[in-house]
Structure formats: structure tokens, C-alpha cells
Amino acid sequence: MAAQNTIVTEPPNAAVAEPVLAIDGLRHAYGGTTALDGVDLRVGPGECVALLGPNGAGKTTLVALTVGLLAPQRGRVLVAGADPRDARTRRNLGVVHQELGFPPTLTVRELVIGAAVRGGAGRSAAGPVLDELDLGALVGRRAVRLSGGQRQRLQLAMALVTDPALLVLDEPTAGLDVGARRAFRRSLVRRRERGTGVLMTTHLIEETAEFADRVVVLDHGRVLTDEAPEALVSRLPDRTVRVRTALDTAWVATLPGVVTATRDGAHVRIGTRTPEDLLRRLLAADDELSDLRVEGTGLEEAVVGLTGGEPVS
């Protein structure tokens, strides 16, 4: 999760380019429950923004509004300068879901051609994107017979066949093996270099640190922070202590210098600015303490710290 692993892609003409996604003052509620409470967000051409937050933070509602499945109750959402609910905007918007069911009788070629025609790009757009995503050898195979990684590449091909300005990825690599995730990311890097902006929701924190230019942390419908991954990490705890202990997590959280304390089975993960003092106190309180590790703070601990100890999911 080190900063040197971050993929940096400079958006073309970033200083003057209009955002591919512009969200202003977005508010949305379900009855008496507020899902979004005044959210502002920008994604520029070639930029990747990761949207993180715990369950109930408002991520699903924000994505639904971005792709035009919901109408804003208050505020504005524009994709490439237009309303995402407008059929004419759909060519500028590609979406990849965590899991998508495919018709059992349709082949890879038929699905990508269908996406091209529906998006107004024409049948001829299918061939180049099938080649781009290494699906050429699978064009005659029914989608239901593909592996998980192949299905995700098919979804990406269907999303990219209209050459959209904005690509929305909703947990796109959950459940994929390491090789499939890397292949998926390589495809996205190529598109970002061509100017496609990316809004990505994910619970894979390492993926976010490696790929995103900015991290937007959402909690209780509000944006807590919007900054580069390394900037977020730099202003939170200096070290993370992971230790096997029966000590009460609530008590550990009260110790001097402790910023976060969360339990993971028999272990406790503690974000702290004073690791030496913390270790002395833990050892004095639990003489059976074991499996002690001290690490530099990563993005996951930073996000947990911002959301009051609630894990990202």
C-alpha cells in the first residue's frame, strides 16, 4: 500500500478540461432517512475517484443517481454536461457492476454488439473493444459459461463500447483472483490514458491506494474528505499496532494517543500516534499478550479513523 505503487495518470488538458461528472448539493432521502446530505463531487477526464464508506454511508444512492436510476430530490448531477437520465447521455456513461446476470442463450459477441447498438455506437464498434479486452477467442462462447474474470472483462467491454466519458465501477473486482484483478486494472489504465474518467466504489482498500487519484470518504450521507490516498494517510495515526489480546477494545480506545481501536477476532488493530507508550501500557495490562506487530498506517486505518471506527464495506 506504499505510495510508490500508486498509478498516476495525468488527465489530458486537466487544467482546463470540464468534469465528466459534476455533482452539486445532492440531497436524497427515503422517508425520514437521509441518504445524502449536500454532496458535492467532481471527476475529471482521465481521473479515477474512489468512493469509500461504511454500510449506510450513501454510496449506493450516489451511484444510482449518477447512472440515472434515481432522480435527484435536491441538487444536480451532470455526466458530460447532461442529465444521466436522458437517453442521449447514455453513450457517455458506462457501468460495471459487482455481479451481472447474462441471458443464457447470448454469446459474448452478441452482448457487446447489443450494447453498442443500444448506445448509438453501431455494430462496428464491437470488434475493436473485444480485441482491446482480449475477448477475441471467446466471442462465440455463451456468457454464462465464462469464468468470473472473463465475465468482468465482458461487462467492461459492454461499458466501453460506446467510448464513454465516465465509467462507473460498482465493486468491480470483488471475488476475482489476483491475476484477474490486475488484468482488469490494466484495461482501465489504457482507457484513462485516453481520457475516460472513473468513479469506483470498492471495499478493497489496497486496490484503491494503487489505482485512485483521489479518495472520497462518505459517511451518513456527507463527504468527510476528498483527497489523494497518501494525503489521507499522512494526517492520521503514525502507526498501526496489531496484537492478540483479550483486553476490552473500548478500554484500549481510551488509552493516550490511540486514534482507533477495532477488534478482528482474537486480534485488536490500534491506530496510534504514540506506539512506544501504547506498547508499554498493553504489556502491563495483559501478560498473555502475543502476536504483536507494528506497521505504518495504511489507507484502511485512515478511513476507519474518519468514520469513527466503522469498517469500510
Side-chain angles (χ1 to χ4, degrees):
M1 204 181 299
Q4 61 264 32
N5 291 332
T6 302
I7 298 173
V8 178
T9 302
E10 289 294 334
N13 302 318
V16 297
E18 292 295 322
V20 297
L21 174 63
I23 293 175
D24 296 294
L26 200 58
R27 288 178 168 81
H28 203 87
Y30 301 97
T33 302
T34 299
L36 297 174
D37 188 12
V39 171
D40 299 319
L41 179 63
R42 293 287 187 276
V43 178
E47 183 178 34
C48 177
V49 175
L51 185 64
L52 304 180
N55 283 336
K59 302 188 302 295
T60 300
T61 300
L62 183 59
V63 168
L65 287 158
T66 298
V67 303
L69 294 178
L70 290 176
Q73 294 171 345
R74 291 183 63 184
R76 183 178 68 164
V77 180
L78 295 177
V79 173
D83 189 332
R85 293 169 294 161
D86 191 325
R88 293 170 296 182
T89 309
R90 291 175 190 160
R91 182 167 181 169
N92 283 316
L93 179 63
V95 184
V96 176
H97 298 282
Q98 178 177 351
E99 190 65 43
L100 181 68
F102 295 104
T105 61
L106 295 185
T107 65
V108 169
R109 179 191 288 110
E110 290 166 338
L111 286 164
V112 178
I113 288 176
V117 171
R118 288 192 301 274
R123 296 173 60 93
S124 62
V129 80
L130 286 167
D131 291 339
E132 177 186 348
L133 294 172
D134 298 323
L135 291 169
L138 302 172
V139 293
R141 185 177 298 182
R142 292 180 181 179
V144 293
R145 297 182 58 196
L146 300 176
S147 69
Q150 290 166 343
R151 285 196 299 271
Q152 287 300 75
R153 279 191 285 142
L154 172 56
Q155 271 209 78
L156 187 57
M158 294 170 66
L160 292 176
V161 72
T162 60
D163 196 20
L166 175 68
L167 185 62
V168 178
L169 308 176
D170 192 10
E171 298 283 358
T173 62
L176 299 186
D177 61 35
V178 173
R181 286 203 301 271
R182 287 175 178 169
F184 192 85
R185 290 200 297 268
R186 285 195 296 269
S187 300
L188 295 179
V189 169
R190 291 194 294 266
R191 281 296 176 137
R192 291 179 61 199
E193 290 171 346
R194 292 167 52 176
T196 301
V198 178
L199 177 66
M200 174 176 68
T201 72
T202 182
H203 67 280
L204 300 174
I205 303 294
E206 290 186 6
E207 180 176 72
T208 300
E210 292 175 359
F211 192 69
D213 299 303
R214 288 166 36 225
V215 175
V216 173
V217 179
L218 199 65
D219 193 26
H220 294 94
R222 295 185 177 183
V223 173
L224 298 185
T225 188
D226 181 347
E227 57 191 320
E230 58 271 20
L232 176 57
V233 170
S234 70
R235 63 186 183 85
L236 283 156
D238 296 324
R239 293 288 184 272
T240 297
V241 175
R242 185 177 185 272
V243 62
R244 186 181 186 93
T245 179
L247 291 172
D248 180 63
T249 307
W251 177 79
V252 173
T254 66
L255 296 176
V258 171
V259 179
T260 62
T262 57
R263 180 164 290 281
D264 180 12
H267 291 80
V268 175
R269 294 175 65 89
I270 309 162
T272 179
R273 297 189 179 94
T274 55
E276 295 84 1
D277 179 64
L278 173 66
L279 293 177
R280 284 193 292 269
R281 293 174 184 272
L282 292 176
L283 290 167
D286 182 4
D287 56 11
E288 295 185 0
L289 181 146
S290 63
D291 195 14
L292 175 65
R293 299 181 186 180
V294 180
E295 306 167 339
T297 293
L299 184 59
E300 182 171 6
E301 288 76 20
V303 173
V304 169
L306 283 171
T307 58
E310 296 180 79
V312 174
S313 55

